[in-house]
């Protein structure tokens, strides 16, 4: 095929939409979203469906020891591929595009390339990684972290879920404890298509985000131990109220983010009280704190200020506060060549584009440890995500998938 004809290749939006909608049926929840927490039966159903599409295309399918799945074309090629992909696990109130767009656009790209017969200097691969969300098994991006050698396989398999299950046992239970060794041999390059999950592209009416990197992230679980007591008889001065202390932390992190200013963000997403009863002063509170900033130093400042506040709060309220780190990743910069290629391809296709960092974590930030990596963003309507109302317009899905197609083709047909 001549360069001109390669440049004319286009993905099929109806095929991509059909797969997005079919996958969204699995773990479907009210409002058109999905709940496929990592390694649950719904995740298994999603995995089986995506693997069946990979198989229908004739890809070589490799499942590794942490359950990551990679489909490669041509199947007989074993040299380092130009890889794309993302995740198909979701949060409990997930939408139908977070992660799944990257995996299914990758499948759509491979189908388009296979049908065209274009000669490849490097094989192409599409992957979905285990437990990107981290909601059930922390940290997030766990599968791609093990894939990239950032966490040992043993440590990954030993992670306990918020519901008490063991990751390694769940992997066996759903049939995705694969033979391929971790860490994997690095791909030649990695490019991921993802919804922005934020308000920037929509606010500026920009279609394609050329993502510059991912901000730093810190997840801490705090276990606050107070003293259960009678809600009616216990004078306020005698209370060691874990529920009150948890609420104090939640309002502190809000003040902390305001005080540090953008782009600092802070979230208490999980609060579990025990015994969680109307007439009992809470004995125990388990809460999580999510702190993020594009500046590694400032992530550290936010953590230190949180921990100092916890020490003062424990003293003041007569409670103890134990800390456990659930995730800690420094900010990551993507490869300048990949970022520039995303911009070049978007402009060549007459699409508006701008550079921006990612507020959310992604598998690409782990692949960036081992190969040139980058991301393509498309707008999120009203900036909403991790919510069944998550939405990206068809025209933007098509634009993003076509940019992904031509970025991957450029990398895979370049002998370097
Ligand atoms: O938490 C995150 O940023 C991602 O959705 N796992
Ligand atoms: Mn995601
Ligand atoms: Mn997500």
């Amino acid at each position: 095929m001549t360069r001109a004809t390669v440049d004319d290749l286009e993905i099929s939006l109806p095929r991509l939409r059909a797969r997005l909608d079919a996958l969204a049926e699995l773990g479907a929840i009210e409002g058109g979203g999905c709940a496929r927490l990592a390694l649950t039966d719904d995740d298994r159903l999603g995995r089986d469906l995506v693997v069946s599409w990979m198989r229908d295309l004739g890809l070589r399918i490799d499942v590794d020891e942490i359950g990551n799945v990679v489909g490669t074309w041509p199947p007989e090629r074993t040299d380092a591929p130009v890889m794309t992909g993302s995740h198909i696990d979701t949060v409990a109130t997930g939408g139908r595009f977070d992660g799944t767009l990257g995996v299914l656009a990758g499948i759509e790209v491979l189908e388009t390339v296979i049908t065209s017969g274009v000669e490849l200097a490097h094989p192409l691969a599409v992957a979905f990684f285990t437990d990107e969300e981290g909601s059930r098994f922390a940290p997030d991006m766990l599968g791609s972290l093990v894939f990239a050698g950032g966490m040992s396989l043993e440590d990954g398999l030993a992670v306990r879920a918020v519901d008490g299950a063991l990751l390694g046992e769940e992997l066996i239970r759903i049939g995705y404890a694969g033979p391929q060794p971790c860490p994997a041999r690095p791909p030649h390059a990695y490019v991921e298509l993802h919804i922005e999950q934020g308000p920037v592209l929509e606010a500026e009416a920009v279609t394609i985000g050329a993502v510059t990197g991912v901000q730093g992230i810190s997840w801490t679980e705090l276990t606050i131990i107070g003293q259960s007591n009678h809600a009616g008889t216990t004078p306020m001065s005698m209370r060691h109220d874990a529920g009150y202390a948890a609420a104090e932390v939640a309002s502190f992190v809000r003040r902390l983010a305001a005080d540090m200013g953008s782009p600092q963000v802070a979230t208490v997403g999980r609060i579990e009280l025990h015994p969680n009863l109307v007439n009992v002063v809470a004995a125990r509170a388990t809460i999580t704190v999510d702190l993020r900033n594009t500046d590694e130093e400032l992530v550290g400042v936010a953590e230190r200020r949180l921990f100092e506040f916890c020490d003062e709060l424990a003293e003041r309220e007569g409670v103890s506060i134990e800390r456990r780190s659930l995730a800690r990743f420094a900010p990551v910069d993507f490869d300048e060549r990949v970022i520039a290629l995303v911009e070049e391809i978007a402009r060549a296709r007459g699409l508006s584009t701008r550079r921006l960092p990612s507020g959310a974590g992604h598998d690409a930030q782990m692949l960036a440890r081992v190969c040139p990596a980058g991301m393509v963003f498309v707008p999120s309507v009203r900036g909403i995500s991790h919510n069944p109302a998550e939405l990206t317009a068809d025209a933007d899905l098509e634009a993003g998938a076509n940019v992904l197609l031509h970025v991957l083709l450029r990398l895979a047909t370049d002998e370097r």
Side-chain angles (χ1 to χ4, degrees):
M1 279 182 98
T2 64
R3 182 87 255 165
T5 42
V6 169
D7 291 348
D8 294 339
L9 289 177
E10 299 267 327
I11 62 105
S12 158
L13 176 66
R15 218 166 34 194
L16 173 57
R17 267 288 7 175
R19 289 191 173 118
L20 280 165
D21 294 344
L23 182 52
E25 290 304 307
L26 304 178
I29 55 173
E30 187 103 351
C34 305
R36 289 194 304 273
L37 287 172
L39 307 185
T40 57
D41 288 339
D42 285 321
D43 185 24
R44 177 178 54 78
L45 290 173
R47 286 166 167 263
D48 291 350
L49 180 60
V50 174
V51 166
S52 73
W53 287 329
M54 289 179 170
R55 192 167 289 120
D56 293 348
L57 285 183
L59 308 187
R60 184 184 76 246
I61 296 165
D62 295 308
V63 183
D64 74 16
E65 296 166 306
I66 200 76
N68 299 317
V69 177
V70 182
T72 304
W73 177 267
E76 69 281 1
R77 293 278 294 263
T78 55
D79 45 335
V82 169
M83 182 181 277
T84 188
S86 192
H87 60 96
I88 58 171
D89 66 298
T90 74
V91 295
T93 57
R96 58 179 60 201
F97 300 99
D98 175 3
T100 55
L101 174 60
V103 177
L104 300 185
I107 287 183
E108 175 53 35
V109 163
L110 264 72
E111 182 154 6
T112 305
V113 170
I114 293 167
T115 315
S116 76
V118 66
E119 279 290 303
L120 300 173
H122 305 279
L124 276 173
V126 54
F128 60 82
F129 296 99
T130 294
D131 186 37
E132 187 278 344
E133 290 295 1
S135 317
R136 187 181 180 213
F137 299 94
D140 53 350
M141 288 78 69
L142 190 149
S144 49
L145 182 63
V146 173
F147 182 92
M151 181 185 212
S152 73
L153 174 66
E154 291 65 37
D155 287 351
L157 295 173
V159 169
R160 205 160 278 284
V162 290
D163 53 37
L166 206 58
L167 192 147
E169 289 172 2
E170 285 292 86
L171 213 46
I172 295 166
R173 186 181 68 80
I174 66 166
Y176 278 89
Q180 287 301 317
C182 287
R185 187 198 50 193
H188 178 70
Y190 178 85
V191 186
E192 177 173 351
L193 171 64
H194 206 288
I195 53 173
E196 179 202 338
Q197 300 180 288
V200 174
L201 294 180
E202 181 185 61
E204 297 182 6
V206 169
T207 305
I208 298 294
V211 188
T212 53
V214 179
Q215 67 178 343
I217 181 171
S218 157
W219 285 358
T220 304
E221 179 187 75
L222 300 175
T223 303
I224 303 171
I225 308 289
Q227 182 188 56
S228 70
N229 220 324
H230 194 296
T233 59
T234 313
M236 296 311 285
S237 60
M238 287 177 59
R239 295 182 179 212
H240 306 292
D241 184 344
Y244 169 73
E248 280 273 83
V249 172
S251 53
F252 169 77
V253 298
R254 170 61 71 91
R255 294 195 306 273
L256 175 67
D259 184 53
M260 292 181 71
S262 176
Q264 182 64 44
V265 288
T267 313
V268 168
R270 180 156 68 91
I271 295 185
E272 286 162 9
L273 296 184
H274 173 77
N276 207 28
L277 298 171
V278 62
N279 58 352
V280 181
V281 174
R284 186 180 68 243
T286 305
I287 74 173
T288 57
V289 179
D290 178 323
L291 300 170
R292 306 196 197 196
N293 198 302
T294 50
D295 178 322
E296 169 60 11
E297 197 144 313
L298 291 178
V299 178
V301 166
E303 285 179 320
R304 272 192 303 283
R305 289 180 60 178
L306 168 66
F307 299 156
E308 282 161 9
F309 177 78
C310 287
D311 294 344
E312 180 271 321
L313 176 66
E315 178 76 25
R316 171 162 45 95
E317 294 301 319
V319 299
S320 70
I321 301 180
E322 291 151 25
R323 301 195 298 252
R324 182 164 74 99
S325 173
L326 298 178
R328 183 66 173 88
F329 301 126
V332 162
D333 292 327
F334 287 140
D335 181 88
E336 176 55 34
R337 185 177 157 227
V338 176
I339 302 167
L341 184 55
V342 171
E343 287 180 312
E344 179 202 328
I345 299 280
R347 290 190 184 116
R349 300 185 62 81
L351 298 167
S352 53
T353 183
R354 63 155 281 174
R355 293 188 175 208
L356 76 168
S358 173
H362 297 289
D363 294 310
Q365 75 188 88
M366 301 309 172
L367 274 288
R369 297 174 180 219
V370 294
C371 71
M375 294 186 77
V376 181
F377 271 178
V378 286
S380 291
V381 172
R382 292 185 294 126
I384 297 260
S385 183
H386 284 187
N387 180 315
E390 187 178 274
L391 180 64
T392 292
D394 277 359
D396 292 338
L397 296 176
E398 186 171 35
N402 274 318
V403 168
L404 180 72
L405 167 67
H406 287 288
V407 167
L408 294 173
L409 271 173
R410 184 72 68 80
L411 293 168
T413 55
D414 180 336
E415 295 293 340
R416 280 177 297 175

